[in-house]
Amino acid sequence: MNDQSGSLHLRVLFEAALEDYKQQTGIELAKHPLAERLQDCNSVESVTAILREQAQDFKEFREKDKVLNPLKIVLTVLHRLSSTTDLAQAVGLVCL
């Protein structure tokens, strides 16, 4: 397979994958804001900078779960305790 036919074959596969993704998710990747930003890149450094920014945003997003998950557990326990009628009345008497 020469370079030109190999490139054409890769392009056909890539376009088919994009179309398949669009049909499965309803998202056209070429119009995604990140794809649009990457299209404006003209160097390895500019692509790397955008990907680094995305990685940092994802890291910050994941770290929120480290705080919210334990809080959710505590709130679930407190909600269950307050939902128990006898316990809710006993706690109410202690608070008075």
Side-chain angles (χ1 to χ4, degrees), residues 34-66:
L34 179 59
E36 291 175 352
R37 286 183 63 197
L38 289 171
Q39 287 176 358
D40 293 335
C41 294
N42 55 10
S43 69
V44 171
E45 290 78 17
S46 59
V47 171
T48 305
I50 290 174
L51 295 178
R52 186 177 295 119
E53 179 185 313
Q54 292 296 307
Q56 182 62 34
D57 290 347
F58 183 70
K59 180 182 176 195
E60 289 171 6
F61 172 77
R62 294 288 298 175
E63 287 176 351
K64 288 179 185 175
D65 284 346
K66 291 179 183 176

Side-chain angles (χ1 to χ4, degrees), residues 22-41:
K22 179 182 172 185
Q23 288 184 3
Q24 288 185 26
T25 65
I27 299 170
E28 190 171 341
L29 284 179
K31 293 183 180 177
H32 189 279
L34 179 59
E36 291 175 352
R37 286 183 63 197
L38 289 171
Q39 287 176 358
D40 293 335
C41 294

